[in-house]
Amino acid sequence: MNQAGERDVRASPGSPPYPDMVWIPGGEFLMGSDTAYPEEAPAHRARVDGFWMDRFTVTNAEFGRFVAETGYVTLAERPTNPAVYPGALPEMLAPSSTMFKKPSGPVDLRNHYNWWVYVAGANWRHPRGPASNIKKLMDHPVVHVAFEDVEAYAKWIGKELPTEAEWEFAARGGLDGAEFVWGDALTPEGRHMANIWQGEFPHRNTLDDGFEYTAPVGSFPPNGYGLSDMAGNVWQWTTDWYQDHAEIDSPCCTAANPRGGAREGSIDPRQPDIKIPRKVTKGGSHLCAPNYCRRYRPAARMAQPVDTSISHLGFRCIVRPQGWNRG
């Protein structure tokens, strides 16, 4: 309690509710950016209350325990309902997921289909196609999980997914306004701080950081709050429906515990015939590269359809103290 008898939202409420969770003290910060991608602007002040957050993204081992105990079947492992996607090719309706495929040479970067493909049999158990497995990837982040899959996991374990504001505040690790999770230099003193792409995306990866695909969680230094992989490795789901920052009410003022937009408003206006709502994802991945996608920054954000799983998207969870005002 403070002198006014009010609860200090920055103070830790006690021991972590689960192993490998750290206390994020909450506070005010500059959310977004005016100097990078349009969807990050305008930068605006936001404030979040304290919460516990997973130190690492959820791993294949952890997700595997969930599946073993519940019998859960992910969206990528189920056949698609043709009524939801009228006119879809039959091969698109088979159990499948989206995978990165490295082209043999330079391609038009304006067309992402030059490196993204649907692969039948790709799922969290087979992250690089039906012939692959996760036997040596148990400490890697689980991927090929759609939004309903990560929600089911969070409910099972007794946690929640973070809002975009909670995620971004935590990612910054106390460095308000810094370009990266660790500061303002991409590779301070030549040290690689995250699993991202080096070389020319999407056809030449020099692997200077040691990894071509995902890395085991915790392979790179944690941020100021003790969180690992808040940049690179895999994108991470949040619970917020996507909306442009420009649509936020009163972006000039500090927003307290902000939430995303409306479900209906998250549908991609460029594809009005596809009524699939989208959530905000954060953090970038091992496929983000300086020459194409500088989204390994805390301000970066992407809109991800809830029905889509992909080979570089995972998640981590949070726990809010009892009595927390969600706004």
Side-chain angles (χ1 to χ4, degrees), residues 179-264:
E179 179 78 0
F180 305 108
V181 168
W182 50 86
D184 289 316
L186 179 58
T187 52
E189 299 181 353
R191 185 180 187 185
H192 290 279
M193 303 296 288
N195 179 18
I196 63 173
W197 185 288
Q198 296 87 45
E200 292 295 317
F201 182 86
H203 66 284
R204 185 177 67 89
N205 190 342
T206 58
L207 308 182
D208 294 346
D209 62 13
F211 299 98
E212 183 170 11
Y213 299 104
T214 57
V217 299
S219 294
F220 294 85
N223 74 355
Y225 291 145
L227 300 169
S228 294
D229 307 315
M230 296 298 279
N233 216 21
V234 293
W235 285 91
Q236 299 171 41
W237 286 103
T238 76
T239 192
D240 281 0
W241 297 112
Y242 183 86
Q243 71 171 353
D244 290 338
H245 278 342
E247 297 174 359
I248 298 172
D249 290 337
S250 302
C252 62
C253 307
T254 299
N257 298 316
R259 303 302 298 257
R263 181 183 187 276
E264 295 75 18

Side-chain angles (χ1 to χ4, degrees), residues 83-86 241 262-279 304-308:
V84 179
Y85 305 94
W241 297 112
R263 181 183 187 276
E264 295 75 18
S266 72
I267 295 170
D268 191 344
R270 299 168 299 180
Q271 297 178 301
D273 295 332
I274 301 177
K275 303 297 185 181
I276 305 299
R278 301 176 298 167
K279 293 284 186 175
Q304 184 74 8
V306 295
D307 67 336
T308 301

Side-chain angles (χ1 to χ4, degrees), residues 69-132:
E69 290 192 23
T70 64
Y72 185 84
V73 179
T74 62
L75 191 64
E77 297 172 281
R78 307 175 219 155
T80 302
N81 181 358
V84 179
Y85 305 94
L89 297 173
E91 58 266 28
M92 301 292 286
L93 300 175
S96 60
S97 191
T98 309
M99 279 182 50
F100 171 77
K101 182 179 180 180
K102 185 192 294 186
S104 59
V107 295
D108 184 355
L109 295 180
R110 295 169 297 182
N111 181 6
H112 62 266
Y113 291 110
N114 283 323
W115 56 86
W116 287 119
V117 294
Y118 283 102
V119 176
N123 54 56
W124 77 274
R125 302 175 191 271
H126 307 286
R128 298 170 196 162
S132 68

